[in-house]
Amino acid sequence: MASFKDPSFQDRAAAANLARQKALAKLAARPTPDAAELAAQREAWEAEQQKLAAERAAKKEETARLKAEKAAKKAADLEEARVAAELKAARLKPASPEEMKAARDARYAARKARK
C-alpha cells in the first residue's frame, strides 16, 4: 500500500496559482452588461424603492390615523365619565322643594300614563 505523500510548498503554491488562473478566466468569460441594460436595472431598482417608500408612508399614515382615533375615543370616554360624575353629584345634592315637587309630579304622570 502506497503511503500518503505530503504536498510540498511548491505543489501547494502551484495549485493556488492554478485556481487563481481558473477564477480569473471564469470572470473574464462572463458577459459584461451594456449601458442600456444597466440603466434599465437601475430604473427598475428605483421604481421598487419608490413603491416601498409609498407603502411605508401609507403605513405611517394609517398608524397616525389609528392613534388619532384612539385618542378621540379616549377623550370621548373621559368626557362621558365627567358628565356621569356631574350627574351623580347633582343627584346627591339636596333638591329644593320645588324640584322635589316637580319630580314627584313627573313620576305620578308617568305612572298614570302607563295605566
Side-chain angles (χ1 to χ4, degrees):
M1 188 163 155
S3 66
F4 178 73
K5 179 181 172 191
D6 285 332
S8 67
F9 176 75
Q10 287 81 14
D11 294 336
R12 291 191 313 255
N17 194 20
L18 181 62
R20 187 177 308 111
Q21 295 289 338
K22 284 183 180 179
L24 288 173
K26 186 176 178 182
L27 185 65
R30 208 172 65 178
T32 58
D34 60 343
E37 185 179 339
L38 288 176
Q41 287 177 354
R42 180 67 180 183
E43 287 175 10
W45 181 83
E46 287 175 353
E48 181 70 19
Q49 292 302 313
Q50 288 177 351
K51 185 181 102 175
L52 291 175
E55 288 175 0
R56 281 191 295 265
K59 188 174 182 180
K60 192 179 241 186
E61 288 174 6
E62 179 68 14
T63 302
R65 186 186 61 79
L66 289 175
K67 282 184 180 180
E69 286 178 3
K70 189 175 181 181
K73 185 179 181 318
K74 187 174 182 179
D77 290 346
L78 288 174
E79 180 64 21
E80 186 178 313
R82 185 190 62 79
V83 169
E86 286 179 1
L87 288 175
K88 185 176 179 182
R91 277 187 268 148
L92 292 178
K93 75 177 179 183
S96 67
E98 294 83 18
E99 291 173 344
M100 290 174 63
K101 183 179 182 323
R104 184 178 64 241
D105 290 345
R107 286 193 308 270
Y108 179 74
R111 193 167 53 245
K112 284 290 188 180
R114 281 194 303 260
K115 290 183 180 179

